[in-house]
Amino acid sequence: MKSEGLENLVCEFSDAIVPYLYGEASVSESDRFESHVADCPACTDEFAELSFSRYSVFEWKKDEFVPMPTPQI
């Protein structure tokens, strides 16, 4: 889902969102992204959507798989 009016906006930082989200960005890359996302509505929206999706998968995994016993082989 894109914010209205931002559909055609292409940001050079959009490729930095996933590495930042998963802790794969260097400290300097993370600092640059954090400074940028504070002023970029397109990246803020995309980051929020990806964060929500990641959290949803985390919750699903926790609810569905953590309670399962480990099979004995």
Side-chain angles (χ1 to χ4, degrees):
M1 177 194 318
K2 297 281 183 181
S3 295
E4 192 153 323
L6 298 176
E7 298 90 5
N8 295 324
L9 183 63
V10 176
C11 181
E12 67 180 275
F13 281 87
S14 63
D15 290 339
I17 296 172
V18 171
Y20 177 84
L21 188 61
Y22 284 91
E24 297 169 348
S26 69
V27 172
S28 64
E29 292 168 334
S30 293
D31 290 345
R32 284 185 54 214
F33 178 73
E34 288 171 2
S35 295
H36 169 78
V37 79
D39 296 321
C40 181
C43 286
T44 300
D45 290 347
E46 188 172 352
F47 180 77
E49 290 174 18
L50 289 171
S51 295
F52 179 75
S53 296
R54 183 174 183 228
Y55 182 73
S56 296
V57 170
F58 171 79
E59 285 294 307
W60 170 75
K61 179 183 171 216
K62 182 181 77 168
D63 293 342
E64 296 296 325
F65 293 100
V66 170
M68 293 176 68
T70 303
Q72 297 295 322
I73 300 178

